[in-house]
Amino acid sequence: YTKGGSIGLYNSLLILVPDYQVAVAILTAGTEESVINTVAEMVVQTFIPVLHQVAREEARNNLAGLYVSDGALNSSMQLNADGLGLLVERWISNGSDLLAVAEAYSQITNGGNVTSVRLYPTGLVTDADSGTRVGYRALFDTKPNANEAVRVFDQALNAWGRIDQNTYGRIGVDDFVFELDADGDAISVEPRFLGIKLMRRQF
């Protein structure tokens, strides 16, 4: 988000990047009005990639890894921070491959091919006994089938608009909760619609 203003020979620009909790304020003086835009471009192109890398490393250290269920239930999830979000590399529930189920569902509903499933933070945080519980949402990225006509209103481009579209037991299949310890490291992840908690084993 940006907000600019000027008076006389003075110009200002405020840049907010909520994803990284960063704000940048740029103030210039002089007859050349384009300076502020040049500085803004330099700042954004310099710092955003660095913040992106730091966020990826933090996600890899704090959240990525293998999560498995306790007991005899054959359920697990492998997560990796790939730079575009928290990538679900493998998802098994009671012996069933849920990534394959998602692909099959997408095919029979003409949703295209599922290219990836990623988890993104919602900003919802509550206190827990030993740390916090943090809400995440899964986005199922899809690519239209090859024989599908090009559309102006491409449904593959509005993934955020499909949150809670598919539910099980009145809970969105995209609704996930991480439990974090006091240091911000994940203890478990809970796909809420399955009613199970997967404990972090490898990271």
Side-chain angles (χ1 to χ4, degrees), residues 93-173:
S93 178
N94 202 18
S96 298
D97 184 346
L98 291 191
L99 293 181
V101 170
E103 174 66 21
Y105 176 81
S106 185
Q107 289 296 325
I108 64 174
T109 57
N110 201 27
N113 300 313
V114 177
T115 57
S116 65
V117 179
R118 288 185 171 84
L119 305 180
Y120 294 94
T122 63
L124 299 174
V125 180
T126 60
D127 291 332
D129 294 337
S130 58
T132 56
R133 288 172 56 82
V134 182
Y136 273 68
R137 287 292 180 156
L139 287 187
F140 295 79
D141 296 317
T142 58
K143 180 179 180 181
N145 293 319
N147 58 352
E148 188 173 328
V150 176
R151 295 181 295 173
V152 174
F153 299 101
D154 190 344
Q155 297 303 305
L157 301 179
N158 67 345
W160 284 108
R162 297 195 301 269
I163 289 177
D164 276 344
Q165 184 178 34
N166 296 317
T167 62
Y168 183 80
R170 289 199 249 179
I171 299 175
V173 299

Side-chain angles (χ1 to χ4, degrees), residues 3-202:
K3 177 66 175 81
S6 63
I7 183 169
L9 299 179
Y10 300 94
N11 298 285
S12 65
L13 181 65
L14 179 65
I15 303 171
L16 302 178
V17 189
D19 290 349
Y20 299 114
Q21 299 179 1
V22 168
V24 178
I26 303 172
L27 307 172
T28 64
T31 57
E32 188 59 59
E33 294 181 8
S34 64
V35 169
I36 197 163
N37 294 326
T38 303
V39 172
E41 192 69 32
M42 290 172 56
V43 167
V44 169
Q45 288 198 26
T46 300
F47 286 107
I48 293 298
V50 173
L51 294 171
H52 187 70
Q53 178 65 25
V54 169
R56 179 169 51 196
E57 290 174 2
E58 184 175 304
R60 183 178 293 120
N61 293 333
N62 295 353
L63 301 172
L66 175 65
Y67 294 78
V68 298
S69 62
D70 288 333
L73 195 64
N74 180 15
S75 297
S76 63
M77 179 177 283
Q78 180 74 44
L79 301 177
N80 184 30
D82 69 343
L84 299 175
L86 202 55
L87 178 67
V88 179
E89 293 184 331
R90 192 180 72 225
W91 187 8
I92 306 297
S93 178
N94 202 18
S96 298
D97 184 346
L98 291 191
L99 293 181
V101 170
E103 174 66 21
Y105 176 81
S106 185
Q107 289 296 325
I108 64 174
T109 57
N110 201 27
N113 300 313
V114 177
T115 57
S116 65
V117 179
R118 288 185 171 84
L119 305 180
Y120 294 94
T122 63
L124 299 174
V125 180
T126 60
D127 291 332
D129 294 337
S130 58
T132 56
R133 288 172 56 82
V134 182
Y136 273 68
R137 287 292 180 156
L139 287 187
F140 295 79
D141 296 317
T142 58
K143 180 179 180 181
N145 293 319
N147 58 352
E148 188 173 328
V150 176
R151 295 181 295 173
V152 174
F153 299 101
D154 190 344
Q155 297 303 305
L157 301 179
N158 67 345
W160 284 108
R162 297 195 301 269
I163 289 177
D164 276 344
Q165 184 178 34
N166 296 317
T167 62
Y168 183 80
R170 289 199 249 179
I171 299 175
V173 299
D174 51 10
D175 191 351
F176 288 74
V177 175
F178 282 92
E179 186 173 349
L180 310 180
D181 63 18
D183 295 324
D185 294 324
I187 300 170
S188 65
V189 64
E190 181 183 351
R192 292 188 58 239
F193 79 101
L194 293 175
I196 61 171
K197 183 180 287 188
L198 305 175
M199 308 304 294
R200 194 179 187 199
R201 292 289 186 247
Q202 296 176 1

